[in-house]
Each structure stands twice: as C-alpha cells, then as structure tokens.
Amino acid sequence: MHPLKFDWNPITGIDIAGNFKLHFYSLMWVVAFILGWYIMKWIFTKEKVSLDYLDPLFIYTVLATMIGARLGHVLFYQSELISEDFFSIFLPFKFKGGFEFTGFQGLASHGAAIGIIIGMYLYRKKYKYKSLLWVLDRVVISVASGAVFIRIGNFINSEIIGNLSGEFPLGVRFIQDYYNKYEIVRATGIKNVQEAYNAVTDNPQFSNLLEAVPYRHPAQLYESFCYIIVFLLLWYFYTKTSKKDQGGFLFGLFLVLLWTIRFFIEFVKEPQGDEYINWFGLQTGQWLSVPFIVIGLYFMFAYKPKTVVK
C-alpha cells in the first residue's frame, strides 16, 4: 500500500568487549576520510604537487574536522555538557549516568566547516607550497564526497531524523530513535537490547509497539543524495572547466551549494538539540547556514584574487 515506507531497525555496530561497540557510523567517518585522501592524492598527482604535503594535509583535515564538529555541536546545540559532563566533550565516552563508550556522537557540520577553514589556514602557514585558496578549492571536493557517507552513517544510527512525513509517499519508522535501549528492554521484557529491538519488527506479539512509531522523513538520505550532486558539480568544474584557476570559486561554490541544501533540508528535520537561534520560525541550523552562503557568493562573484592561483 505504501511501497516507499519502511521500518528502520538495524544493527548499529559490532559489540567487541563489554561496553565497547564499534559503530558503523564511526566506520562511515573512516570511509569518508580515506576516500578524501585518495581524491586529494589524485589531485596532487594531476597538478604535480609533491605527495610529501599530502599526509600532513590529511592529519590537519581530520583533526580540524573532528575538533570543530564536536565543539560546534556543544556550542550550538548542547552547551549543558560544559557543566554536566565536561570530559565527554573531548573523549568518545559518556560519564554522566554511568560510563559508556559512545564513539563519534554529537558532531555539528557547521562546526566542522569552521574547523576545516581554520585548520587549512594553520596548515598553509606551515606548508607554503600553494595559496590558502588553492588548498580550500581542492579540499572541498573531498569534503563533499565525505559528507555523503557521514549522512549515511547518521541514517544507520537513526539520528538527525526528519519530521513526521504524514501522507508523503516516502517515510521511515525509526524504531531505535523512538525507543531508547532502556525503554525497549522494559517494554518487551527482553534483556538483550538488540534482540528486544528485533522483536518489535519481527514478533507480532509486539505489534502495538511498532504501530506506535510514526513515519518520518529520512532527512539524512535526502541530504546524502544532494551531497552526491554537490560532489559531482565540484568535480565537473574542477576537471572540465578553467574555474579551478579562479581562486576561491570552487570553495565558494561548495559553500553556496552545501549550505543552501542544508538550509532547505532543515524544513523537514527535527531539531538536533536546544534551539538557541529560532528567529522568524527558522531553526538554528538554517541561521548558521546563511553566513556560509553569503561568504560563498562573495568568493564566486565578488572576490578578485591579486594573481592567478598557484
């Protein structure tokens, strides 16, 4: 009756020992970074840049992305962690309410963007083989490809979910978002958390629990698909046009495309935390996207480099 509506109740990771769980979301980050490294290696080789600069660029990018994303989430969406669970800000563990390995959770893309820009500035100060804009114009190609996998990871984790989909033909019931692990164990009487989740979709005895879960927009998949388009457009302009030689153009194009997508996707997304900025009915993520779009337009159409990027 609704072929585009389905239940999402997957295994989210592999239990290795005790409270340690290797999350598939974390693996998506690894895939994103490795793919980005190979893209940059291809670009360096194509433009005859020494590969000696590649690994430092990779390290700066990883650290800048993770630190920026984490601090961005805390500052923009979950500032209470500063007073309630301070060490969880910097470590992949939760301490409040019991010690638990959480992996890479609570990361904000706006913070990651700021972190990457700062990281590339610091990288360029140490390695002066090309201009900062040359680096940014090429790094964003890798970043766009990585964003595709990050949102897939969010989908696997049943996080950053969408609003109620209503009569919209596409909808997903996120079982593991609706019931946390304590609720599902209590509701089913099954002590094993994964077995308890599986019972909701597999055992007719718990059909009432399944029916209580509403269908929502798979906002993560919408976003991931759009980021594929962003990557393809950046790749096209880099490989098929002379825009790669216009300092700042690809960087600006990336900012405009990615944050415009983010702005509109927010209309079908649930808030990710406390909405500190919600003027005129817009969410925090939308207001944070606006400055990036403006900066992107500036670099695409107004910025005039003094010399051709080298």
Side-chain angles (χ1 to χ4, degrees):
M1 190 173 178
H2 298 288
L4 295 179
K5 292 190 174 184
F6 60 93
D7 300 325
W8 188 246
N9 188 29
I11 296 174
T12 58
I14 304 171
D15 290 313
I16 295 180
N19 285 331
F20 183 81
K21 185 175 185 178
L22 180 60
H23 290 268
F24 296 136
Y25 175 53
S26 300
L27 291 178
M28 290 297 100
W29 277 90
V30 173
V31 170
F33 283 128
I34 291 176
L35 177 61
W37 185 88
Y38 275 103
I39 290 173
M40 289 305 298
K41 180 182 179 182
W42 185 88
I43 290 173
F44 273 42
T45 302
K46 178 179 184 295
E47 300 200 34
K48 297 181 173 55
V49 175
S50 173
L51 294 181
D52 292 339
Y53 297 116
L54 181 58
D55 284 344
L57 177 62
F58 177 78
I59 293 171
Y60 271 77
T61 304
V62 171
L63 292 177
T65 302
M66 302 309 299
I67 294 172
R70 184 57 180 156
L71 293 180
H73 174 81
V74 172
L75 293 175
F76 300 145
Y77 299 105
Q78 204 175 3
S79 60
E80 67 272 11
L81 286 179
I82 298 174
S83 58
E84 295 179 0
D85 200 0
F86 181 77
F87 290 106
S88 70
I89 297 174
F90 306 100
L91 299 173
F93 301 97
K94 178 178 74 70
F95 298 93
K96 182 181 178 181
F99 179 80
E100 181 182 349
F101 176 81
T102 58
F104 298 124
Q105 290 187 351
L107 304 172
S109 53
H110 294 92
I114 295 171
I116 290 171
I117 293 171
I118 294 173
M120 295 306 95
Y121 170 77
L122 296 175
Y123 169 79
R124 174 62 181 77
K125 285 195 70 174
K126 184 172 182 179
Y127 302 96
K128 303 181 183 297
Y129 61 98
K130 291 285 186 179
S131 71
L132 175 60
L133 283 178
W134 184 95
V135 176
L136 287 171
D137 281 336
R138 285 143 184 83
V139 162
V140 294
I141 301 174
S142 292
V143 173
S145 70
V148 175
F149 293 94
I150 302 308
R151 285 297 178 250
I152 292 174
N154 292 137
F155 182 75
I156 293 173
N157 250 20
S158 299
E159 59 189 9
I160 312 184
I161 61 174
N163 298 330
L164 299 179
S165 59
E167 295 302 315
F168 191 73
L170 177 58
V172 178
R173 290 195 287 200
F174 293 97
I175 314 299
Q176 297 179 30
D177 171 78
Y178 192 79
Y179 300 107
N180 66 40
K181 61 183 181 181
Y182 304 107
E183 292 172 334
I184 201 63
V185 167
R186 184 168 57 250
T188 61
I190 301 173
K191 293 183 178 181
N192 182 283
V193 175
Q194 191 59 55
E195 290 179 6
Y197 277 126
N198 292 342
V200 175
T201 51
D202 300 341
N203 190 335
Q205 176 185 346
F206 301 109
S207 60
N208 61 315
L209 297 178
L210 179 61
E211 292 301 319
V213 182
Y215 284 102
R216 294 183 175 275
H217 287 284
Q220 319 94 321
L221 297 184
Y222 298 163
E223 212 168 333
S224 181
F225 176 78
C226 290
Y227 292 161
I228 293 174
I229 297 174
V230 174
F231 169 75
L232 293 175
L233 285 173
L234 289 170
W235 189 257
Y236 170 79
F237 277 102
Y238 175 76
T239 59
K240 302 297 184 181
T241 75
S242 61
K243 288 297 185 180
K244 71 178 186 298
D245 299 320
Q246 181 182 328
F249 180 85
L250 293 178
F251 174 58
L253 178 63
F254 167 81
L255 293 179
V256 171
L257 291 176
L258 187 134
W259 297 111
T260 298
I261 289 167
R262 177 64 185 274
F263 183 91
F264 285 105
I265 290 291
E266 289 289 325
F267 284 114
V268 296
K269 283 170 63 173
E270 284 285 290
Q272 297 178 50
D274 292 332
E275 289 291 317
Y276 301 121
I277 310 173
N278 55 7
W279 308 318
F280 305 107
L282 299 179
Q283 296 186 15
T284 299
Q286 292 172 305
W287 283 110
L288 292 174
S289 298
V290 171
F292 288 105
I293 296 171
V294 173
I295 293 170
L297 291 171
Y298 168 75
F299 277 104
M300 287 181 69
F301 302 112
Y303 175 74
K304 302 296 182 185
K306 295 179 180 179
T307 58
V308 176
V309 177
K310 294 183 178 181

